[in-house]
Amino acid sequence: MTSAGHLANLGQGFGSEGVWLSCVWLSDGCRAEREAVRLVRGEGCAVTDVVAESPVSRLQVVDLRTVEAAELDDLWQHEVRLWRERLLWDVSDACAARRRVVDRHGLPGKAVRLGARTVAYAYYIIARRLGVIGGLVGSPDWSSTGVGRALLQETVDEIRQKGVSRIESPFVSIDCPWLTRFFEREGFRTFWREFLRLELRQSPGPVSPLSMGHLEPWRGTHLREAAPIMQAAYEGEVDAEINELYRTLDGCGVVLESTLSQGGCGIPVVEASAMARHWGRGIGFAVVTEIAPRQGHLAQVAVLPEYQRRGVGRRLLSYSLSRLAELHFDTFSLIVSRYNHRALWMYRDMGFQSVLSFPVFVWER
Ligand SMILES: CC(C)(COP(=O)(O)OP(=O)(O)OC[C@H]1O[C@@H](n2cnc3c(N)ncnc32)[C@H](O)[C@@H]1OP(=O)(O)O)[C@@H](O)C(=O)NCCC(=O)NCCS
């Protein structure tokens, strides 16, 4: 699922993997090559070693906190447009929130300057021994020039210098084929994730009842019940390897709180979210959000291990689907790990189709 969680205060989700973390880069390499001959000198540290193969030999990597928010306006517009076009996801509020933090010079990260122009930036957060790379955004003009690699190298080096024992890089990447090579060379493990989508052309019809228990519409008080279900459901699963927060009750609470109360993954759609209950006990839940007008997103679904394989997950999804269709939503999307075979099988069987595959990365000392 989307790991919105702890970066939500920066205005981005993780897809569920966190949200909105993004790495976006369009390709227009020829233009970059042309521009590269007009290199400009500036302040900062030169990155000639890192991009030795590139014609871009005079780029400067600087601290993101020295950058003015206005310098990044083109990049944010680019990011918003790409997310809208490719994922039907409106990240403009998230970008605006991040812009406010940059404006206060409070976002840790790195930026690449070419003379007066800032062509890329990356940002991260540190929480005790954990570093999380929140996103990487670059100008389309510089997509194939090594700028991204140089930027990431400086970012990863800086995070390591802070003494972390683990770095997660969960952001959604679009058009960054070089990421895997970079991270694996740095000793990170790669996990592939899938962004899936279903067109809601017609109502799927009535939802058949649970063979045990019942579904009830989502209420705010369900948050407390959902965290232990989530923790138990993910125990030993690949998502808990990717996202440390999924391993603890507190961490699951943070992820859910961010999704439901802080807009970490769009606006919650309580009418399409539900709790499954058996003899009064919460046994599974689905939380749905709206990531753009009429675009629904499954931010989280989990069923207690002892209740799995009894149709609870499928009923929760069917409920969300039919409620979204009744509410005239156009699409329903989600993010799932490729190695989460059970969930992936269920989604594909229900008609979800792959829109984007992207890698996420984890490094441990
Ligand atoms: C994914 C999850 C919600 C499914 O819930 P569930 O109640 O077990 O699912 P269901 O019993 O309704 O099964 C749905 C379908 O999944 C498939 N499935 C379920 N368990 C499976 C298993 N162990 N192996 C293979 N397929 C399985 C089946 O195709 C099943 O369909 P069918 O039995 O109707 O033919 C549950 O496994 C879970 O909580 N996993 C951990 C959290 C998670 O991964 N969430 C999703 C993140 S994207």
Side-chain angles (χ1 to χ4, degrees):
M1 282 298 99
T2 308
S3 41
H6 44 323
L7 284 193
N9 58 342
L10 298 178
Q12 287 281 62
F14 302 40
S16 141
E17 320 188 2
V19 186
W20 301 205
L21 315 172
S22 61
C23 171
V24 291
W25 221 293
L26 289 176
S27 37
D28 184 359
C30 298
R31 188 166 157 206
E33 298 274 327
R34 281 198 306 276
E35 282 198 18
V37 298
R38 300 188 281 114
L39 299 174
V40 187
R41 289 157 207 271
E43 300 284 313
C45 62
V47 293
T48 40
D49 300 352
V50 191
V51 292
E53 78 285 4
S54 162
V56 185
S57 57
R58 301 300 303 172
L59 290 177
Q60 309 295 317
V61 179
V62 298
D63 191 319
L64 185 57
R65 283 166 291 207
T66 65
V67 168
E68 296 303 324
E71 291 177 52
L72 305 178
D73 280 343
D74 284 353
L75 295 177
W76 278 313
Q77 280 168 23
H78 164 56
E79 182 178 5
V80 168
R81 194 179 65 244
L82 206 58
W83 274 74
R84 191 176 295 134
E85 285 171 6
R86 297 284 287 274
L87 304 179
L88 305 180
W89 193 317
D90 180 3
V91 294
S92 52
D93 284 351
C95 285
R98 214 182 316 143
R99 191 185 192 285
R100 287 193 291 277
V101 185
V102 171
D103 206 34
R104 295 196 301 268
H105 302 285
L107 189 57
K110 294 284 179 186
V112 175
R113 281 223 181 94
L114 178 68
R117 199 173 154 214
T118 304
V119 297
Y121 76 95
Y123 63 98
Y124 64 83
I125 60 163
I126 305 281
R128 296 192 198 97
R129 310 279 293 167
L130 173 68
V132 180
I133 303 176
L136 168 71
V137 182
S139 161
D141 310 344
W142 295 91
S143 60
S144 57
T145 55
V147 166
R149 283 186 290 274
L151 178 60
L152 261 188
Q153 186 74 61
E154 296 268 338
T155 305
V156 168
D157 289 350
E158 182 165 280
I159 296 173
R160 283 187 174 135
Q161 279 160 19
K162 296 189 184 295
V164 299
S165 55
R166 180 179 165 93
I167 303 175
E168 295 177 0
S169 181
F171 56 77
V172 175
S173 55
I174 303 174
D175 299 335
C176 300
W178 48 270
L179 272 186
T180 308
R181 226 174 101 217
F182 169 84
F183 275 112
E184 289 185 353
R185 211 189 57 210
E186 286 296 311
F188 284 70
R189 289 172 67 199
T190 304
F191 300 87
W192 282 89
R193 314 209 69 195
E194 303 284 334
F195 188 100
L196 306 182
R197 188 189 297 143
L198 179 71
E199 306 287 330
L200 294 168
R201 290 205 186 83
Q202 58 193 44
S203 171
V207 182
S208 52
L210 286 177
S211 55
M212 95 281 289
H214 64 279
L215 296 187
E216 60 188 34
W218 185 266
R219 292 194 304 269
T221 49
H222 286 146
L223 179 64
R224 265 198 320 276
E225 275 180 279
I229 297 172
M230 183 176 160
Q231 190 214 350
Y234 280 106
E235 197 175 335
E237 298 290 337
V238 65
D239 290 276
E241 279 186 68
I242 297 171
N243 189 336
E244 206 176 44
L245 285 178
Y246 281 39
R247 297 179 194 168
T248 64
L249 196 54
D250 284 352
C252 290
V254 167
V255 172
L256 289 167
E257 175 77 25
S258 159
T259 306
L260 286 157
S261 310
Q262 296 167 21
C265 181
I267 304 158
V269 185
V270 285
E271 302 93 323
S273 306
M275 174 66 74
R277 204 173 280 294
H278 184 225
W279 294 114
R281 179 188 185 201
I283 59 169
F285 68 93
V287 169
V288 174
T289 56
E290 187 173 22
I291 52 173
R294 295 192 311 282
Q295 318 303 328
H297 188 79
L298 183 67
Q300 197 55 255
V301 60
V303 173
L304 282 177
E306 60 268 39
Y307 285 91
Q308 288 178 11
R309 302 213 70 182
R310 300 202 220 168
V312 178
R314 191 180 282 267
R315 295 302 187 292
L316 282 163
L317 264 256
S318 303
Y319 174 87
S320 298
L321 266 172
S322 48
R323 295 296 291 131
L324 287 176
E326 283 164 25
L327 294 165
H328 306 293
F329 274 63
D330 295 333
T331 63
F332 192 22
S333 61
L334 59 91
I335 298 175
V336 58
S337 294
R338 196 180 281 175
Y339 318 97
N340 189 346
H341 300 293
R342 281 179 301 171
L344 195 54
W345 170 265
M346 177 171 76
Y347 301 139
R348 290 208 196 286
D349 194 46
M350 294 180 86
F352 283 85
Q353 301 202 332
S354 191
V355 171
L356 176 77
S357 302
F358 62 94
V360 298
F361 308 94
V362 175
W363 171 83
E364 255 163 329
R365 195 181 289 281

